[in-house]
Amino acid sequence: MTPDPLPRLHRDLLVAAGLARPAAPVRIVHLGIGAFHRTHQAWHTSRAGDAADWGIAGFTGRSPRVADQLEAQGGVYTLIERGGDGDRYAFVDSIAEARPASDLARFVELVAHPATAIVTLTITEAGYHLGADGLIDRADPDLAADLAALRDGDPARVRTPVARLTHGLAARAARGGGPIAVVPCDNLPGNGATMRRAVRDIAAAAGWDAASWPVSFVSTSVDRITPHTTDDDLRAVEAWTGFRDDAAVVAEPFSDWVLAGDFPAGRPRWEDAGARFVDDIAPFERRKLLVLNGGHLALAFRGLLRGHETVADAMADPSCREVLDRFWDEAERTVGAEAETTGYRRELVERFENGRIAHRLGQIAVDTATKVRLRILPVLAAERRAGRDAAGALAVIRDWAEGARRGAFPAGDAGGLLDRLMTGASAGDREFISSVIVAD
């Protein structure tokens, strides 16, 4: 067997060199330990002034690969902050333990433990298994199987993230684990309230009264562009560290985290790393969801149709910029005056034009029916209510429909797209969208 060309990065080596801290005691459990979590919540935790008191136990979403990589490195990894003027490297040491999603026993043990104060989640919009009405989709086969498993008293069969969380919270309540905060970090409007409703509905289906559990649900708005890590990135990390780091991640220098809600068992000083705590998160999440995430969709759909691969490539194409700016004009009106948007747009242009961040359009154009429903339809509906033609939002929807017809998006989006998209729209908007797309 050919030996590895370089030794693997490991916490013990960095601690000995004074470059990382020993693993902190686990007080946060995270579900969905992918690249975004490692560039965002884990990074914020590692930069908190009291980080030595707040270790994260991370669980994967599906594949155990990331857990295997992190466990082999003692939980530490390298973050490349890729700005327009160059790269900066840093070690992130807040993950104390990494486990595969299949280790449900350890997940429940940690969620139920009195020392655990917070559960955070990055499971994507699809991980909530919601219908267009915002309630859990009982017809979803995966969720239906989990509900049956909980009713049968066989939680070892549970697979969906929110059902696993509900099972863990039920165990905590039964064991007297005390208050805890649940902090979803996915791009859903009112994600805290959405998670609360989903947990309570799943609990009720299992015969539990989740309303009596001492659980706080915190709403968040998160923002940091995190492209896939490439082989070139891993080689760059090797050149900088002298070690092989299979868990390295890349992100833009910008990072934003806005939170609203209570932390009854305490929290890290995330504000030391720039997090903001507010009373009303709605304007911030609306701005992020419609302007940034909606803008990404506008670029992805038009850009993929025109043969581009990255956000920066699309930004350099006048056709893509035109559809983006038209949509942004409408999205800015939809956001309203509660959140400053003009300067936010200027900042986004600079971020999107950063050609050193290879944010791939194909990465954005996944689960498109759900994303269009959440990020584009609200703009179209607001413009139509105001008596305007919604031409910007409609152009994005047309590009989406054309891309779906050409097979420009993953196969999972094929078939029934228009029906799935418009289940959350008003009757008038459904008729309007359908007539325009069919006419095209």
Side-chain angles (χ1 to χ4, degrees):
M1 178 180 294
T2 303
D4 292 334
L6 290 171
R8 184 191 290 268
L9 184 75
H10 195 277
R11 182 186 296 270
D12 291 346
L13 296 171
L14 297 181
V15 170
L19 298 173
R21 291 169 289 236
V26 172
R27 298 195 64 198
I28 302 172
V29 175
H30 182 80
L31 192 53
I33 189 169
F36 181 75
H37 168 68
R38 283 176 281 150
T39 66
H40 196 269
Q41 297 92 41
W43 176 84
H44 274 85
T45 303
S46 74
R47 296 300 183 269
D50 53 355
D53 300 326
W54 292 91
I56 298 171
F59 290 77
T60 62
R62 294 187 183 90
S63 167
R65 181 179 58 85
V66 172
D68 293 342
Q69 291 171 343
L70 286 168
E71 276 295 288
Q73 299 181 183
V76 299
Y77 58 93
T78 310
L79 169 65
I80 305 175
E81 288 189 344
R82 180 151 292 157
D85 58 351
D87 291 345
R88 291 182 296 179
Y89 297 81
F91 297 119
V92 180
D93 58 5
S94 54
I95 295 175
E97 180 177 334
R99 300 277 181 166
S102 58
D103 195 349
L104 183 62
R106 181 58 175 162
F107 177 77
V108 172
E109 177 187 3
L110 287 170
V111 172
H113 197 285
T116 300
I118 300 168
V119 178
T120 57
L121 303 95
T122 48
I123 56 177
T124 76
E125 297 96 321
Y128 290 71
H129 294 272
L130 302 177
D133 57 3
L135 304 177
I136 58 170
D137 184 2
R138 294 172 185 268
D140 180 278
D142 293 331
L143 184 59
D146 281 358
L147 295 179
L150 292 175
R151 284 193 298 267
D152 294 343
D154 186 12
R157 300 189 343 239
V158 169
R159 293 291 180 268
T160 60
V162 183
R164 281 187 287 168
L165 171 64
T166 305
H167 172 45
L169 294 174
R172 184 181 181 92
R175 300 175 194 178
I180 192 170
V182 173
V183 186
C185 301
D186 294 293
N187 290 315
L188 286 169
N191 52 21
T194 298
M195 180 63 78
R196 178 193 297 114
R197 186 166 56 244
V199 165
R200 291 184 177 180
D201 287 350
I202 291 172
W208 302 319
D209 178 17
S212 66
W213 300 344
V215 181
S216 168
F217 292 86
V218 178
S219 289
T220 67
S221 173
V222 298
D223 187 4
R224 192 171 209 184
I225 295 172
T226 302
H228 287 301
T229 305
T230 67
D231 289 341
D232 285 343
D233 296 328
L234 295 181
R235 284 190 286 270
V237 169
E238 289 182 357
W240 180 71
T241 65
F243 296 102
R244 180 168 60 90
D245 182 354
D246 294 331
V249 287
V250 182
E252 63 174 336
F254 178 91
S255 182
D256 189 45
W257 196 7
V258 186
L259 305 95
D262 298 324
F263 290 84
R267 63 167 178 81
R269 293 201 330 244
W270 285 321
E271 59 269 36
D272 295 343
R276 289 176 287 170
F277 294 85
V278 300
D279 294 327
D280 182 11
I281 202 167
F284 297 95
E285 64 182 9
R286 188 164 60 244
R287 183 180 69 175
K288 161 63 166 47
L289 194 69
L290 301 181
V291 181
L292 187 149
N293 298 123
H296 267 158
L297 290 181
L299 289 173
F301 299 151
R302 179 63 60 89
L304 288 169
L305 286 171
R306 292 176 63 81
H308 300 306
E309 293 188 359
T310 69
V311 169
D313 292 340
M315 286 293 285
D317 183 333
S319 176
C320 296
R321 280 301 302 271
E322 179 188 15
V323 74
L324 174 66
D325 288 333
R326 289 169 65 196
F327 173 74
W328 268 355
D329 289 343
E330 296 174 357
E332 187 170 355
R333 288 193 290 266
T334 304
V335 170
E338 295 174 286
E340 192 282 324
T341 309
T342 302
Y344 185 72
R345 282 178 60 169
R346 287 196 298 268
E347 191 173 53
L348 283 179
V349 168
E350 181 178 347
R351 294 170 63 192
F352 287 1
E353 288 179 341
N354 180 1
R356 302 191 69 251
I357 286 284
H359 195 183
R360 302 201 172 275
L361 302 177
Q363 181 184 357
I364 296 168
V366 173
D367 190 32
T368 56
T370 298
K371 290 178 178 178
V372 171
R373 188 172 70 239
L374 293 172
R375 304 173 186 183
I376 307 299
L377 281 192
V379 175
L380 181 140
E383 286 292 289
R384 282 176 47 77
R385 284 195 302 269
R388 292 185 283 267
D389 61 11
L394 192 58
V396 179
I397 294 173
R398 281 174 167 148
D399 285 346
W400 166 78
E402 179 63 22
R405 280 194 289 263
R406 295 190 195 178
F409 313 134
D413 285 344
L417 274 177
L418 199 56
D419 290 340
R420 287 164 50 203
L421 167 70
M422 296 196 298
T423 49
S426 69
D429 286 345
R430 286 199 300 270
E431 182 178 353
F432 174 69
I433 296 168
S434 182
S435 66
V436 173
I437 291 179
V438 169
D440 288 347

